[in-house]
Amino acid sequence: MWYIGIISVISVIIGRSIAIEFPPGIQKCHYGDSECFRETASNVIKNFPKGISAMGIESIDPLFHDKIDVKMNGNGPINIQMLYRNMSIFGFSKAKILKIEGFTKDPTKIQIHFKLNKISVLSDYKIKGQILLFPMEGAGKSNNTMLDWDFYWNATVKLVEKNNEKYLKLEKYNTRFTTSRIWFFFENLFNGDQTLGHTANDFFNDNWEFLFNEMKPILFKTAGKFFNTLVTIPFSNIPYKEFFHDEN
C-alpha cells in the first residue's frame, strides 16, 4: 500500500500527451541522460505536488488510489485478508530520487531508486483472519506509516512498432523496498471493542518487523503489479520519441 507513491516518478517524466509543452521548470531530456531524468523528476515532485492538469499528471502529494487487496491464505503463520479503499498517500513530494536509468534510444532495461523519510497511507480498511494464534477482524479507518522507505524498481523493456510509431513495452519487472519502521493504527477493530482494539494495534506495532518479513513476497508482487500497470498506460498510448528532445 505504501509503495504506491513511486508511480508518479515515471508519470512526471514522460508526460501524458503529445505536443504539449512542459511548464517552466520541467525539461525534456536527451536519450540516456540519467542525471537529467533524475533532476526533472525531482523538480516535478517538489514544485508541482498538486499535479499538472495540462499534462495529465494528477496529485502527487497526496496521491490517491481506489483500492489494494492483500491476501495471505496458507499454512504459514499469517492467514489474513486486508482490503484497503479510498487511499490517500502523503509524503511523496519529499522523495529523494537517487537514480533513474535506462531511457536510451533503444532501451532494454530501466532502473529507478528513491528514498523517503516518511510516507503515510490513510484509508478505509477491512481485515479478517489470523496472525500466529491472534485473530484479527475489523472495518473502519486506518493510518499506516513507514519510515526510511527505500524503493527499487527494475524492468526489462523493448520498443514495439504500432501504426508506424515505436512504443515502449514492459516485459518483466522486479520490485523491492525496505523500511526502518512501520507504525499501524486500525480504528474500530473487533466492532469497536476498545480493549481488544488496543491490544491488536499494539500487537501489530510490536511485531511490525515479523509481519513485514513474512509478507514481503506478496507486498513486492503487489507493488510491482500496480507499478507495471501505471507505467504501461502512458507508454502504450504515446510514441516513445515524444518523451525526448528531437535529435534528428
Side-chain angles (χ1 to χ4, degrees):
M1 56 191 171
W2 37 80
Y3 44 79
I4 302 172
I6 187 62
I7 59 94
S8 288
V9 176
I10 292 294
S11 298
V12 297
I13 292 173
I14 63 177
R16 293 295 175 91
S17 58
I18 300 173
I20 291 181
E21 292 294 328
F22 285 12
I26 304 178
Q27 59 178 338
K28 286 189 175 183
C29 299
H30 294 284
Y31 290 111
D33 191 342
S34 299
E35 181 60 21
C36 176
F37 280 114
R38 190 191 67 78
E39 289 179 357
T40 296
S42 297
N43 288 337
V44 169
I45 63 174
K46 178 182 178 181
N47 297 322
F48 301 91
K50 302 307 177 184
I52 307 171
S53 59
M55 296 174 63
I57 300 173
E58 298 180 355
S59 177
I60 295 169
D61 197 353
L63 288 166
F64 301 105
H65 188 58
D66 290 337
K67 64 179 182 178
I68 288 181
D69 298 344
V70 178
K71 300 179 183 180
M72 294 187 69
N73 300 311
N75 297 321
I78 298 179
N79 192 324
I80 201 166
Q81 246 187 344
M82 302 178 73
L83 312 178
Y84 294 92
R85 301 291 184 269
N86 305 316
M87 304 172 69
S88 299
I89 302 92
F90 295 86
F92 190 66
S93 62
K94 305 297 183 182
K96 182 178 181 180
I97 301 173
L98 302 177
K99 180 195 273 191
I100 298 180
E101 293 185 350
F103 289 97
T104 61
K105 194 166 187 177
D106 188 16
T108 57
K109 293 182 180 180
I110 293 174
Q111 297 180 323
I112 297 174
H113 176 204
F114 79 94
K115 291 184 177 182
L116 267 174
N117 290 333
K118 177 181 177 181
I119 186 166
S120 298
V121 181
L122 279 62
S123 68
D124 299 322
Y125 84 94
K126 288 185 180 180
I127 183 171
K128 186 174 184 179
Q130 184 171 293
I131 299 177
L132 297 175
L133 299 177
F134 200 97
M136 292 287 181
E137 184 175 3
K141 302 291 184 180
S142 69
N143 184 344
N144 301 314
T145 297
M146 296 182 70
L147 305 181
D148 303 315
W149 196 46
D150 197 354
F151 187 97
Y152 298 82
W153 185 80
N154 301 286
T156 300
V157 300
K158 69 176 181 180
L159 294 180
V160 296
E161 191 163 331
K162 181 174 62 175
N163 299 325
N164 296 319
E165 296 283 2
K166 290 184 177 181
Y167 296 79
L168 189 71
K169 179 182 178 181
L170 272 66
E171 295 193 304
K172 296 180 181 179
Y173 57 91
N174 178 267
T175 305
R176 61 188 174 92
F177 55 85
T178 61
T179 176
S180 67
R181 189 65 164 93
I182 305 175
W183 294 102
F184 299 97
F185 177 73
F186 295 97
E187 180 185 77
N188 199 46
L189 285 167
F190 303 102
N191 296 316
D193 187 305
Q194 293 188 4
T195 300
L196 289 176
H198 181 76
T199 300
N201 276 300
D202 283 348
F203 178 85
F204 274 116
N205 289 308
D206 290 343
N207 295 278
W208 76 268
E209 196 165 9
F210 163 76
L211 297 173
F212 178 62
N213 288 332
E214 287 294 320
M215 298 178 71
K216 273 182 181 178
I218 192 167
L219 290 176
F220 291 176
K221 181 178 179 180
T222 303
K225 184 177 180 180
F226 176 75
F227 190 50
N228 173 56
T229 300
L230 268 292
V231 172
T232 299
I233 291 173
F235 276 121
S236 297
N237 294 307
I238 302 173
Y240 185 65
K241 68 180 182 181
E242 299 295 338
F243 309 145
F244 304 91
H245 286 299
D246 186 359
E247 299 185 357
N248 292 331

